[in-house]
Amino acid sequence: MLSALTEGTPAFVPRLWKLEVANALVVGERRGKISRRDANDFLDFAESLPTLVDPAEIGYGFPSVLLYARELQLTVYDATYLELAARRALPLATKDEPLAQAAARIGVGLFEP
């Protein structure tokens, strides 16, 4: 998945993307699944990815985000990614099975490198 991004094709991400990456790394460290050094290396790698932050204001898709979270049993954060993919008619890059199933239910394709 990440190799396709490093070849120069940018990926749209919601404004909360960097916060989610940082949170995942901190949680991984706390659970002993990743060292601080590896987390920092991954953060450097993530910063180098060609991403475009969605210019829509954080509350722009709020009604859809809330609907997806409720109807598809997603977290609001996962619903944010789904809303972005649906609104921009882009495939969704995820390894999260419930999110992938939710995408399929509303007709959003999955990114395949």
Side-chain angles (χ1 to χ4, degrees), residues 3-87:
S3 62
L5 293 176
T6 58
E7 293 171 5
T9 303
F12 272 95
V13 295
R15 292 182 185 269
L16 60 87
W17 183 74
K18 286 185 180 184
L19 295 173
E20 286 225 278
V21 169
N23 186 62
L25 294 173
V26 167
V27 169
E29 284 179 32
R30 288 180 184 158
R31 292 181 180 168
K33 295 185 181 265
I34 188 171
S35 70
R36 183 171 287 192
R37 179 180 174 145
D38 287 344
N40 288 339
D41 287 347
F42 184 84
L43 189 58
D44 290 341
F45 170 72
E47 289 282 347
S48 75
L49 293 173
T51 57
L52 296 172
V53 176
D54 182 41
E57 291 301 318
I58 195 77
Y60 176 80
F62 185 70
S64 296
V65 168
L66 192 57
L67 176 70
Y68 292 157
R70 286 175 172 157
E71 298 298 319
L72 301 170
Q73 302 299 306
L74 297 172
T75 66
V76 168
Y77 307 106
D78 285 351
T80 300
Y81 288 91
L82 185 57
E83 185 278 332
L84 174 61
R87 178 169 35 89

Side-chain angles (χ1 to χ4, degrees), residues 97-111:
E97 191 57 35
L99 182 53
Q101 289 174 0
R105 284 185 59 193
I106 67 163
V108 170
L110 297 180
F111 172 79

